Amino acid sequence: MGKFMQGYLDEQFMELEELQDDANPNFVEEVAASYFKDSARLINNIDQALRRGPLDFNRLDSYMHQFKGSSTSIGASKVKTECTMFREYCRAGNAEGCLRTFQELKKEHATLRKKLEHYFQVQASDQLCVINQLQNMC
Amino acid sequence: MDKGFSPVGLRVLVVDDDPTWLKILEKMLKKCSYEVTTCGLAREALRLLRERKDGFDIVISDVNMPDMDGFKLLEHVGLELDLPVIMMSVDGETKRVMKGVQHGACDYLLKPIRMKELKIIWQHVLRKKLQEVRDIEGCYEVGADWFTRNDEAHYLGGGEDVSFGKKRKDFEFEKKLLQDESDPSSSSKKARVVWSFELHQKFVNAVNQIGCDHKAGPKKILDLMNVPWLTRENVASHLQKYRLYLSRLEKGKELKCYSGGVRNMDSPPKDAEFSSGHQSPGKSSYVYSGGSSLVHKAETDPKQLASSSVSDPSSDVHMPPKGKKKRIEFEPPISSSVFDSLLPWSDVPDPLESKPQILFESSFLQQQPLLPSQSPYVVASAPTLMEQEMKPSYETCVNADEFLMPQNKNSTVINQDVSLSTPSAISCMKLQESSSNVNNDTESILRSLNWELPESHHSGFIDTDLDFSWLHGEHLLANTGLQNFQFQDYSSSSSLLSELPPHLWFGNDRLPEPDEYTLMVDHGLFIS
């Protein structure tokens, strides 16, 4: 995973890689896909909630709780940090803080997505390389 | 490296509204060789559970479910189905965890959940089953049912850690033990009594009523107990064990060995005031007589044993009135070179079924007799001692239950011992070594059993919850014949203790039969 991912993903990601096996050869990628699909939905919900007049902090906190839980599934550490901060602001009733943090969160989320997409592409092409080499050998 | 030990085929229902986690948990649980069913909604989960009653062994659910509060689900499952439930959350706030406890969760796992946490969830299932066995007086079905149902669930030995490894045949043997116990028409010669909490309580009450009176014989106790199906023999054997237990308590935490033959050599036999439990100094204590009579359930009239002297001048004092010379010869001196004296044990006359009891602790043999002033019925002090020995009780029933407790303190002993296949100095030393490590800390007991403890930061819950109450279950494991279910490796024969040297018994002139063994183990009398 190396420096490319450093800080963005924690040990959980490695745990996922360990779970990957012959029965589920694309397990990690599938999990990542599931996460991004689900988190996109959550981000959407939060976005909408933030646009509505006076903020419903309880509701927002609840959304963020879900989001945090989801983010732990792939080990999205930076995203998780933003989630925690957001919840702090919620508890403090700090709308400004919530909005700011949410922007950061979305940024981190987008960055992670790109990185992972790249990561899986590289993996796939590595595999292709290997296959090519093997074929060439025949 | 994870020291694995998981029952294959444990049926798990996972409930989580997060699809990503559901996917991950499913994979993780499958890797544990469990049978997994996933569910994204709490209501759906309940429906599944109700539809397939007995279809699942354990439920793992997230606390935050959109359609129903996870705690509510927990309540439903607990009440209606009595299944163990593990809660999960990304939130580890103490009050939430406590809420889980209050609602009856077996455990509370924090996300991200690790494989090692899932690998041990089977313990909750087992513990719950054992609790059921214990709670039902004289009822064997639950344990047996569970076992029978899990016929296909063979138990994998894990990793390279031999202590977890358990040979299939040993498991089969234990299963058979359990089934024998549960099947009234089984071929075991005697109906085995399961001394449940309530039954023992009755016993203790009866004994107390009679008082510290040496005339407290099994017949009287039986009459007082007023349990129709109980026989005098049952009571007699239980009485012996109880006295042993009390005598051990009297000794407090001092580690001693009740090896019958030794004392016998040194002191001339006198009339054993057997039933009174008093001993004259220099006389082998009633402990041994008790031991002898213990094994004579059917053959000896307990009343006679109880009230009369056990001594047989022509042979060892521990000889029961039957007069068979079965004394295990010991060679003095008994000292720290304990093992030397233990070695010549081969002249065990009777080719009895080898189910010895292990009633000793670290210093294997001891020379002083028991304190003469001991009264066998120091019931009042017994529980106190037990309380001191044990951590504050996790469960509420601590009375007669404590009688059954001593085992956990020394569970190392018994388990270590069971793995001996030949009598040898090394084995004995191993025993001694392990026993000397014994302390009252449940955690270290578990550790010494090479039992991997769950990571506390993820499920701090489980440390307190499982540690202690697991040990409650420990003797129950014995009770159901599952005693060493996940402990040492039985590389020896399928018969659990077949090769245990008889000198490690406590002076029986005959080896107890399997059902007796179980009964004895049941009461933690294997550890002194």
Side-chain angles (χ1 to χ4, degrees):
Chain A
M1 197 168 64
K3 290 208 171 213
F4 181 62
M5 287 303 194
Q6 210 168 46
Y8 288 90
L9 293 168
D10 60 28
E11 318 84 52
Q12 175 64 11
F13 194 79
M14 291 187 273
E15 294 267 337
L16 293 180
E17 293 195 306
E18 271 175 42
L19 285 173
Q20 187 158 292
D21 56 15
D22 290 338
N24 294 93
N26 300 310
F27 182 69
V28 187
E29 197 169 352
E30 287 164 14
V31 169
S34 168
Y35 167 68
F36 283 111
K37 181 173 164 206
D38 199 45
S39 55
R41 180 182 62 85
L42 280 168
I43 285 175
N44 213 20
N45 288 347
I46 299 169
D47 245 332
Q48 287 187 16
L50 284 171
R51 284 177 217 278
R52 278 184 223 122
L55 294 185
D56 181 352
F57 290 112
N58 281 334
R59 193 188 200 142
L60 285 169
D61 185 63
S62 173
Y63 280 138
M64 201 44 75
H65 180 92
Q66 282 181 57
F67 198 95
K68 188 178 177 193
S70 194
S71 300
T72 57
S73 69
I74 60 159
S77 45
K78 287 195 186 227
V79 175
K80 256 205 300 185
T81 307
E82 297 301 327
C83 289
T84 308
M85 273 224 285
F86 187 96
R87 293 186 81 192
E88 291 294 320
Y89 284 124
C90 276
R91 278 171 212 165
N94 186 337
E96 176 64 38
C98 284
L99 287 165
R100 242 185 313 118
T101 310
F102 190 59
Q103 296 313 310
E104 280 305 307
L105 191 150
K106 281 196 283 188
K107 263 195 227 157
E108 293 295 349
H109 184 259
T111 308
L112 180 65
R113 187 177 206 148
K114 282 206 185 73
K115 283 188 179 270
L116 274 172
E117 275 170 7
H118 183 88
Y119 176 74
F120 291 124
Q121 274 168 12
V122 168
Q123 263 196 348
S125 68
D126 277 349
Q127 285 164 6
L128 275 173
C129 271
V130 171
I131 293 168
N132 279 337
Q133 284 169 357
L134 286 170
Q135 284 174 341
N136 289 338
M137 274 162 38
C138 298
Chain B
M1 198 265 289
D2 275 322
K3 294 179 192 180
F5 180 83
S6 308
V8 169
L10 193 76
R11 297 157 308 165
V12 186
L13 177 67
V14 189
V15 191
D16 199 331
D17 66 325
D18 185 327
T20 315
W21 268 114
L22 215 52
K23 188 180 172 70
I24 296 173
L25 287 167
E26 185 183 25
K27 182 70 184 166
M28 287 171 83
L29 290 163
K30 281 198 172 143
K31 281 235 158 165
C32 294
S33 304
Y34 297 148
E35 211 180 275
V36 191
T37 310
T38 60
C39 201
L41 287 170
R43 278 186 222 284
E44 179 66 23
L46 266 179
R47 189 187 64 80
L48 263 175
L49 288 164
R50 283 166 184 154
E51 249 175 44
R52 287 195 243 167
K53 282 211 186 239
D54 269 1
F56 298 98
D57 295 311
I58 188 165
V59 179
I60 306 180
S61 173
D62 191 274
V63 162
N64 293 84
M65 301 291 291
D67 62 332
M68 189 195 291
D69 183 27
F71 296 114
K72 262 247 146 7
L73 174 66
L74 168 59
E75 266 178 41
H76 279 297
V77 175
L79 284 169
E80 288 177 39
L81 303 142
D82 197 29
L83 283 175
V85 183
I86 296 177
M87 302 305 291
M88 298 185 288
S89 181
V90 69
D91 185 355
E93 268 179 20
T94 317
K95 66 174 195 280
R96 297 216 96 198
V97 176
M98 282 317 296
K99 196 174 176 191
V101 180
Q102 282 157 9
H103 284 76
C106 299
D107 203 349
Y108 193 105
L109 303 179
L110 288 186
K111 288 176 171 176
I113 297 171
R114 294 278 169 262
M115 272 297 282
K116 56 166 83 172
E117 293 170 291
L118 293 180
K119 279 192 166 168
I120 56 164
I121 61 174
W122 60 269
Q123 294 171 4
H124 294 293
V125 180
L126 183 59
R127 179 163 51 95
K128 207 167 177 89
K129 292 295 175 185
L130 293 171
Q131 277 173 355
E132 287 169 27
V133 173
R134 178 169 71 172
D135 291 343
I136 301 164
E137 181 175 307
C139 169
Y140 319 93
E141 288 98 34
V142 176
D145 275 354
W146 181 74
F147 235 70
T148 320
R149 199 200 317 139
N150 286 280
D151 215 2
E152 304 314 310
H154 58 275
Y155 291 73
L156 299 174
E160 295 143 61
D161 185 15
V162 155
S163 62
F164 276 96
K166 186 155 165 44
K167 298 287 185 297
R168 183 72 196 269
K169 60 182 173 179
D170 301 313
F171 168 72
E172 292 296 341
F173 174 76
E174 284 174 338
K175 202 169 75 160
K176 184 168 188 313
L177 254 188
L178 178 63
Q179 282 169 346
D180 278 347
E181 187 175 6
S182 66
D183 178 9
S185 61
S186 78
S187 55
S188 358
K189 290 175 210 156
K190 311 171 194 53
R192 198 177 331 157
V193 173
V194 174
W195 283 86
S196 67
F197 173 79
E198 287 88 353
L199 194 59
H200 178 70
Q201 194 59 43
K202 281 191 183 150
F203 170 83
V204 170
N205 291 339
V207 159
N208 290 343
Q209 246 184 291
I210 299 172
C212 299
D213 181 330
H214 68 274
K215 289 207 182 69
K219 175 98 175 58
K220 252 198 180 146
I221 298 169
L222 181 65
D223 290 339
L224 276 171
M225 279 176 75
N226 193 26
V227 176
W229 52 269
L230 202 61
T231 71
R232 207 173 52 198
E233 282 89 355
N234 299 143
V235 175
S237 67
H238 193 70
L239 181 63
Q240 310 327 317
K241 286 177 262 172
Y242 186 61
R243 284 177 176 151
L244 270 159
Y245 158 76
L246 290 175
S247 73
R248 268 192 280 122
L249 282 185
E250 293 288 318
K251 299 235 149 232
K253 292 166 189 165
E254 209 188 329
L255 302 176
K256 291 171 192 55
C257 165
Y258 295 116
S259 177
V262 178
R263 307 232 277 257
N264 187 39
M265 301 307 264
D266 293 327
S267 46
K270 279 191 192 172
D271 278 351
E273 286 284 341
F274 173 72
S275 57
S276 71
H278 294 287
Q279 306 117 77
S280 341
K283 182 178 62 62
S284 311
S285 72
Y286 68 71
V287 169
Y288 306 104
S289 339
S292 320
S293 86
L294 178 72
V295 279
H296 285 284
K297 250 207 238 175
E299 292 133 35
T300 314
D301 179 1
K303 187 173 189 176
Q304 179 197 353
L305 271 175
S307 53
S308 67
S309 133
V310 184
S311 67
D312 180 354
S314 62
S315 63
D316 298 343
V317 75
H318 307 307
M319 282 300 102
K322 270 175 92 174
K324 263 197 257 180
K325 178 158 172 46
K326 292 185 191 76
R327 216 58 211 81
I328 293 132
E329 302 288 295
F330 277 91
E331 287 176 353
I334 292 81
S335 62
S336 57
S337 59
V338 143
F339 311 117
D340 296 332
S341 55
L342 292 177
L343 288 174
W345 65 279
S346 46
D347 57 338
V348 178
D350 261 73
L352 297 162
E353 214 170 334
S354 41
K355 298 283 182 236
Q357 303 172 51
I358 307 138
L359 259 204
F360 50 95
E361 290 173 314
S362 75
S363 79
F364 215 36
L365 302 164
Q366 73 143 21
Q367 296 208 290
Q368 321 85 299
L370 294 173
L371 304 170
S373 55
Q374 277 179 33
S375 152
Y377 302 118
V378 184
V379 180
S381 65
T384 333
L385 267 172
M386 284 320 303
E387 269 156 19
Q388 281 165 15
E389 286 180 358
M390 299 307 305
K391 273 183 181 167
S393 207
Y394 164 80
E395 292 174 9
T396 51
C397 54
V398 290
N399 302 319
D401 218 22
E402 287 155 357
F403 170 71
L404 307 167
M405 286 308 201
Q407 180 174 7
N408 50 16
K409 174 160 100 97
N410 300 294
S411 49
T412 324
V413 171
I414 193 174
N415 288 309
Q416 287 272 1
D417 220 32
V418 164
S419 65
L420 297 177
S421 49
T422 50
S424 67
I426 298 160
S427 313
C428 300
M429 282 199 281
K430 218 167 93 174
L431 175 74
Q432 179 177 51
E433 189 181 13
S434 67
S435 307
S436 62
N437 291 333
V438 164
N439 59 43
N440 293 331
D441 188 73
T442 57
E443 211 175 36
S444 63
I445 289 166
L446 288 176
R447 286 199 207 282
S448 59
L449 290 170
N450 290 319
W451 190 343
E452 189 185 38
L453 292 175
E455 230 185 291
S456 55
H457 85 272
H458 269 291
S459 47
F461 205 111
I462 199 176
D463 275 328
T464 49
D465 178 29
L466 189 60
D467 279 0
F468 189 94
S469 52
W470 178 248
L471 291 168
H472 272 263
E474 211 176 65
H475 73 266
L476 294 169
L477 280 177
N479 189 20
T480 56
L482 294 174
Q483 187 208 357
N484 294 294
F485 161 57
Q486 74 280 48
F487 303 152
Q488 299 285 338
D489 175 28
Y490 298 93
S491 46
S492 54
S493 70
S494 61
S495 159
L496 281 176
L497 302 168
S498 56
E499 255 112 333
L500 198 68
H503 63 257
L504 299 180
W505 316 329
F506 72 114
N508 287 344
D509 57 323
R510 146 171 116 64
L511 291 165
E513 294 184 18
D515 42 358
E516 284 171 350
Y517 159 71
T518 311
L519 188 50
M520 291 181 236
V521 169
D522 178 26
H523 297 288
L525 291 178
F526 274 60
I527 298 106
S528 53

